[in-house]
Structures are given as C-alpha cells and as structure tokens.
Amino acid sequence: EAVPGVNKAIRWNSPFYGTDEHAWFLSFHCFTHYVKVTFFNGARLDPPPPEPSKDDDARLAPDPDLAQLKSSP
C-alpha cells in the first residue's frame, strides 16, 4: 500500500521488498522468539532504527513500533 509497485523476493527463507531488482529496502527474518526487521539504508531514516548492523547503512529494529511502520509520510 505505502510503496506502489513494490517487488518481493525470497532469499534465505526471508522476504525482501524493493522497488527494483537492485534497490531492496526492507527484509524480515523469523526466529523462534522474535522477528528481525532490517532496513537497508536505514541509517537515512528519520528517526533511524535503533540498532546498527554489520553494514554501516543498514539498521535493525529489534522491537519495531508497529504504528510507525504502518505510517506513511
């Protein structure tokens, strides 16, 4: 809904979402007790998700605010 024309791919049993084949912006990975939410280029979000990743541009949201995830600019 929030991103028209979004594409979805599955890699490592996780869905990836992006606007084209080389511009993925979001991924989810389910574990036994939690879901990892990764924002590629998340360091550019305002406010940025709280946890850094091995990649300087990616950010993790270990306990995401669902209302904020659903909101659109």
Side-chain angles (χ1 to χ4, degrees):
E1 289 177 26
V3 181
V6 70
N7 295 314
K8 178 181 175 183
I10 304 293
R11 187 170 184 187
W12 303 300
N13 293 324
S14 298
F16 283 69
Y17 297 90
T19 53
D20 65 39
E21 194 171 308
H22 302 289
W24 303 109
F25 60 83
L26 179 67
S27 176
F28 298 96
H29 191 83
C30 296
F31 293 92
T32 302
H33 298 286
Y34 67 98
V35 175
K36 179 174 77 172
V37 180
T38 303
F39 295 93
F40 304 106
N41 291 318
R44 297 180 187 172
L45 295 175
D46 184 27
E51 275 191 36
S53 175
K54 293 177 187 176
D55 180 337
D56 289 338
D57 290 328
R59 300 291 286 199
L60 307 176
D63 188 18
D65 178 352
L66 296 180
Q68 188 175 11
L69 287 176
K70 291 179 182 179
S71 70
S72 59

